[in-house]
Amino acid sequence: METGQQNIKKFGTFGGVFTPTLLTILGVIMYLRMGWVVGNAGLIGAWLIIIIAFLITLCTALSMSAITTNIRIGAGGAYAIISQSLGLEVGGSLGIPRYISQGLAVTMYIFGFREGWLGIFPHHNAFLVDAAVFVGLFTIAYISANLAIKTQYIIMMVIIASLISIVMAAYEGSMTIPSDEALKWGTFKGSPENNFSGSNFWLVFAVFFPAATGIMAGANMSGELKDPRKSIPIGTLWAIGVSFVIYMLLAYWLATSATEEELISNYNIIIEKAYVGPLIIAGVLGATFSSALASIVGSSRILFAMGQHSVLPYSNFLAGQSKNGQPRNAMLVTGILIFGTMLLRNLNAVAPLVTLFFLVTYAMINIVVIIEQNLGLISYRPIFKIKRWIPWLGLISSVLAMFIINPTISLITIAIVLAVYWYLSRQNLETPFEDVRSGLFVSFAEWAAKHTWGMKKMQQRAWKPNLMVPVRDITGARGNFEFLRNIASPKGSIKLLGIAPDEENDSMTLELDTLAESFRTKGVFSSWTVINTTEFAKGVNYGNQALRGAFFRPNIVFLNLQQHDDYETELRPVIRECIRLEIGVLLYQSHPTALLGQRNTINVWVSNRQNNWSLGWDIGNLDLSTLIAYKLKRNWKARIRLITVIDDDKELDNATEFLKSLINLARLPETLTEVYVGSFKEIVIKAPQADLNIFGMDENLSFTFVQDMADKTNSSCLFVKDSGHESILA
């Protein structure tokens, strides 16, 4: 088998869309249940049922027409439409159940053909009839879609002949009941199966509605159409229009040709009332065979399309094609599925699933159009335009029809779709085309940004560490990878800001891209950009200034103090500008040998608050320090120790109570506290050992103090300045 599409036969509107769609709609329900529908609902009720059913399918057909004239639709029909809009996961969650349901539909059409055949030849073996029909269907479909289309032309002539037989009967005087007597609302007496114990409008609607669900038969051939953008809308809408007129006229003929008792008790009433009864029997057999043929050809194309996109296991095999472009491997698998379901002999329990999967697909196509219309993306400019209310009407009516037909099976259907989506969403499928999900997420983000802009109080409760990390030395950034990840994880983000001269731009770009990807792989969202400059401080400050008006702007700048940094000319200007812009600052001094130790304990140094030990919303430059300590505690599974040094032992009780209140209000369980009386410079040397010491700072923080703290604590140190927009008490 080959996977190319060379020498593939392409079809036009009439053969590829109109014919299979029309023949699927004019199916066995028209011949064997239309009389029962009119007998129960009356002519007015039957017309109303036909109108509602076709209105649902028309809205979906219009939505499908709009979306197919906006994209390059590939093989798979509705699966291709939904996948190209909402991604392979959503497309596959509908494609897989719909493929299986179409396989079940083929089996039910075979069983329907058998019932009609046994009505003529009652002594024939039922299973042999089924097997013969299956072999015929499979052979035609396996050879080529071209042969299937030519076979459907023959069947169309048979169905036209059967309809002519009805017209001739009317011409010869079969319509003996006056119109004023026929034009009435039904009494809904029920059926022979329930001993005429009664029915209702929606029960009759549920029996008729599957007749109107064949509008996807042509769309399933999308990969083998000469011009799907043109053929799918025109062919589908014409098929709906022609079949609607036929059903409406047929209902009128039945209401004026047979009594209510005849209609509800005799499923073969059309055969008896037609001018040439055997032509109606041929029409029944032709309709079931044609519907089965359209379904087997269409379902194999859905499976083939999912194989092309690697949605299923053994996708390379499923995507295999013959030299003339036929999906032979997918057809073989479909044939095995159909033959296997034939062995069950009774599919009544799962029959509603077939109709309901069609309705779920209809609903999703309408959802696709609703999303496209409301996102306002410039890429959505269909040639076939529809009003905004049409997909909404299609969506609501499809969902209502599902629950009218069978509420329990509807819930099962939705559960199956969700289960398949859950499975596919964990398979890391690679979408080979662009979809609207990014636009959808951006629209949600824009909506959120517009509705939360300026709500600073909310930002304190929703605070997350969104770090900007200036990078001049990629080696130093890699060395702090885990530390940065532990600060940001799980919901924060890291923006890498490369500072490089023009000649080093390419290498810096590649290295930052790799590093950002590593952060994302580890569960922290990361992005990057490069500013071309030789002046580190100006590059960082320009970046912060440019992002000041953005909604998703960094709220912390992380500065990694290294030996080659000039603290006074490169880092201090950045610290001062961050303070001016109200951006938090983390200045990290790594200990050359201790590094981050065992990551078991974090000391947070609380400044002396002499004569101001009351705990309000403003706790000074302590919010960000405590928040960072808490993030590290969770990710390291470490302990926090709050330490304060006072110079007056009279303040001992106040200081101790302050730390306890802070722990309580900040919800920091299992936090240690230490209160020392004496000189800070002396206490810091003999304080309990920690893997990281966190100190507050201001814009006048000296380089000497930074070095002294790392030496005296014999640990790595983090110097923190609040932005003023975070709160540990929120």
Side-chain angles (χ1 to χ4, degrees):
M1 297 292 175
E2 300 177 7
T3 56
Q5 293 206 14
Q6 62 272 27
N7 303 319
I8 188 171
K9 172 71 175 178
K10 297 285 186 177
F11 304 100
T13 302
F14 184 78
V17 181
F18 177 79
T19 299
T21 303
L22 181 66
L23 293 183
T24 305
I25 296 174
L26 300 180
V28 69
I29 289 176
M30 180 181 75
Y31 290 107
L32 300 182
R33 289 295 181 271
M34 195 63 221
W36 180 85
V37 169
V38 175
N40 271 274
L43 180 57
I44 294 176
W47 275 351
L48 185 59
I49 286 171
I50 295 169
I51 290 170
I52 293 173
F54 275 83
L55 182 63
I56 294 172
T57 54
L58 177 62
C59 289
T60 302
L62 291 171
S63 294
M64 182 173 68
S65 299
I67 203 70
T68 53
T69 61
N70 188 63
I71 61 175
R72 296 180 183 178
I73 182 173
Y79 160 77
I81 293 171
I82 296 167
S83 295
Q84 289 190 44
S85 296
L86 299 179
L88 291 178
E89 295 83 359
V90 179
S93 68
L94 288 166
I96 293 173
R98 190 162 180 271
Y99 164 73
I100 296 173
S101 69
Q102 281 214 296
L104 295 172
V106 175
T107 304
M108 288 190 291
Y109 289 135
I110 291 174
F111 290 173
F113 184 96
R114 177 235 297 161
E115 293 300 321
W117 185 269
L118 293 180
I120 307 171
F121 306 102
H123 300 297
H124 286 186
N125 182 276
F127 183 76
L128 290 180
V129 174
D130 291 343
V133 176
F134 169 74
V135 171
L137 285 169
F138 184 77
T139 302
I140 294 170
Y142 186 81
I143 292 173
S144 72
N146 187 33
L147 180 58
I149 296 297
K150 290 179 179 178
T151 304
Q152 288 189 323
Y153 287 155
I154 298 172
I155 295 171
M156 178 177 276
M157 298 305 298
V158 173
I159 290 177
I160 290 174
S162 70
L163 294 175
I164 291 174
S165 175
I166 293 172
V167 172
M168 291 179 63
Y171 182 76
E172 292 294 326
S174 67
M175 301 166 64
T176 57
I177 300 174
S179 297
D180 56 345
E181 294 182 18
L183 196 67
K184 62 181 181 179
W185 188 262
T187 56
F188 298 97
K189 292 183 178 179
S191 63
E193 287 80 6
N194 68 0
N195 295 319
F196 304 104
S197 58
S199 64
N200 58 65
F201 179 85
W202 293 114
L203 179 62
V204 178
F205 172 84
V207 171
F208 174 79
F209 184 76
T213 59
I215 63 170
M216 293 293 172
N220 288 340
M221 299 293 295
S222 56
E224 294 168 76
L225 298 175
K226 294 176 182 177
D227 187 358
R229 288 187 178 184
K230 174 185 175 183
S231 295
I232 291 176
I234 294 176
T236 303
L237 293 175
W238 267 104
I240 291 173
V242 171
S243 57
F244 175 74
V245 172
I246 291 173
Y247 272 107
M248 294 291 281
L249 292 176
L250 181 62
Y252 180 77
W253 176 73
L254 285 165
T256 56
S257 298
T259 64
E260 181 183 27
E261 294 300 322
E262 289 178 309
L263 291 171
I264 64 175
S265 61
N266 185 3
Y267 292 144
N268 296 320
I269 189 66
I270 293 181
I271 298 174
E272 295 182 4
K273 295 292 182 178
Y275 188 75
V276 182
L279 281 178
I280 303 300
I281 297 174
V284 173
L285 297 178
T288 53
F289 192 88
S290 172
S291 298
L293 189 57
S295 294
I296 193 173
V297 171
S299 60
S300 63
R301 268 61 184 175
I302 295 173
L303 184 63
F304 166 72
M306 290 191 290
Q308 281 187 316
H309 299 150
S310 300
V311 172
L312 298 170
Y314 306 104
S315 287
N316 289 337
F317 173 79
L318 296 175
Q321 293 175 279
S322 64
K323 291 183 179 180
N324 64 346
Q326 298 303 306
R328 294 277 169 81
N329 294 348
M331 183 62 70
L332 283 171
V333 174
T334 303
I336 293 171
L337 170 68
I338 294 168
F339 189 78
T341 56
M342 280 174 52
L343 299 177
L344 299 176
R345 310 308 296 154
N346 190 340
L347 297 178
N348 290 339
V350 295
L353 279 173
V354 177
T355 299
L356 295 176
F357 276 125
F358 274 107
L359 284 169
V360 171
T361 304
Y362 292 176
M364 191 56 67
I365 287 175
N366 285 296
I367 288 173
V368 167
V369 178
I370 290 170
I371 291 173
E372 291 272 20
Q373 287 180 334
N374 286 278
L375 283 180
L377 300 179
I378 196 170
S379 60
Y380 183 69
R381 44 184 192 278
I383 298 171
F384 190 98
K385 294 179 172 59
I386 60 175
K387 298 291 185 181
R388 287 181 174 268
W389 58 266
I390 291 176
W392 280 106
L393 181 59
L395 170 62
I396 294 169
S397 59
S398 297
V399 173
L400 287 176
M402 285 180 63
F403 287 92
I404 287 169
I405 291 171
N406 194 315
T408 303
I409 303 297
S410 294
L411 293 174
I412 293 173
T413 302
I414 294 171
I416 292 172
V417 171
L418 293 175
V420 176
Y421 174 79
W422 177 85
Y423 169 77
L424 292 178
S425 64
R426 281 154 177 76
Q427 301 307 304
N428 297 319
L429 301 177
E430 293 186 10
T431 305
F433 38 70
E434 292 218 7
D435 53 58
V436 301
R437 286 180 295 179
S438 59
L440 185 63
F441 295 146
V442 168
S443 293
F444 284 145
E446 288 176 345
W447 178 88
K450 291 173 182 176
H451 284 76
T452 57
W453 185 260
M455 299 171 69
K456 294 185 178 180
K457 290 183 179 179
M458 277 190 63
Q459 290 175 6
Q460 289 184 344
R461 296 199 65 182
W463 180 90
K464 298 172 184 176
N466 296 315
L467 278 67
M468 175 190 279
V469 182
V471 178
R472 180 169 49 182
D473 174 15
I474 197 71
T475 303
R478 290 198 198 99
N480 290 326
F481 180 87
E482 279 300 316
F483 187 48
L484 291 168
R485 187 181 73 85
N486 290 146
I487 293 174
S489 179
K491 299 295 184 181
S493 65
I494 297 173
K495 180 178 286 295
L496 302 171
L497 178 66
I499 307 295
D502 290 340
E503 61 270 15
E504 297 178 14
N505 183 65
D506 291 342
S507 61
M508 175 67 78
T509 295
L510 293 173
E511 290 170 333
L512 289 178
D513 186 57
T514 302
L515 189 59
E517 177 62 31
S518 298
F519 277 118
R520 291 193 293 270
T521 302
K522 291 287 189 177
V524 175
F525 177 75
S526 179
S527 59
W528 60 270
T529 189
V530 176
I531 292 181
N532 295 128
T533 180
T534 56
E535 298 184 52
F536 180 84
K538 286 186 177 180
V540 178
N541 289 341
Y542 289 160
N544 281 323
Q545 292 165 9
L547 290 170
R548 190 178 187 185
F551 181 76
F552 296 106
R553 57 184 179 272
N555 53 17
I556 301 171
V557 172
F558 180 91
L559 299 173
N560 181 30
L561 183 57
Q562 296 178 278
Q563 290 182 348
H564 56 69
D565 292 328
D566 187 320
Y567 183 81
E568 292 299 328
T569 62
E570 293 181 335
L571 299 187
R572 188 183 295 281
V574 173
I575 294 171
R576 287 177 173 171
E577 183 65 6
C578 287
I579 293 172
R580 187 184 74 84
L581 297 175
E582 298 182 346
I583 300 173
V585 181
L586 302 180
L587 177 65
Y588 180 56
Q589 172 68 68
S590 176
H591 192 279
T593 55
L595 301 178
L596 288 170
Q598 297 176 309
R599 305 186 185 190
N600 286 333
T601 309
I602 304 158
N603 283 348
V604 179
W605 292 80
V606 180
S607 61
N608 186 0
R609 300 170 64 94
Q610 187 171 3
N611 300 322
N612 185 25
W613 294 104
S614 60
L615 187 61
W617 282 104
D618 182 9
I619 60 173
N621 186 33
L622 187 57
D623 290 296
L624 185 56
S625 299
T626 317
L627 285 167
I628 296 298
Y630 179 71
K631 294 285 291 182
L632 293 172
K633 163 193 163 67
R634 293 185 63 185
N635 291 318
W636 286 358
K637 295 181 173 56
R639 296 181 305 170
I640 298 175
R641 181 187 291 117
L642 299 179
I643 303 176
T644 187
V645 180
I646 56 177
D647 51 20
D648 186 353
D649 57 5
K650 294 179 181 179
E651 299 283 346
L652 184 61
D653 291 339
N654 291 335
T656 303
E657 186 60 32
F658 175 83
L659 295 182
K660 288 182 179 179
S661 298
L662 177 60
I663 291 170
N664 181 48
L665 293 176
R667 289 95 66 200
L668 299 172
E670 301 177 3
T671 297
L672 306 175
T673 61
E674 297 285 350
V675 180
Y676 293 96
V677 180
S679 168
F680 173 78
K681 292 183 179 180
E682 295 175 359
I683 298 298
V684 77
I685 297 173
K686 61 182 182 181
Q689 187 64 39
D691 300 296
L692 178 69
N693 279 271
I694 300 179
F695 300 92
M697 73 169 180
D698 58 26
E699 63 180 300
N700 297 315
L701 178 70
S702 70
F703 179 63
T704 302
F705 180 79
V706 171
Q707 287 188 315
D708 284 349
M709 290 303 101
D711 292 338
K712 291 179 178 179
T713 61
N714 200 29
S715 72
S716 296
C717 295
L718 191 65
F719 300 87
V720 181
K721 175 61 181 174
D722 287 11
S723 69
H725 298 292
E726 58 277 296
S727 174
I728 188 63
L729 304 181

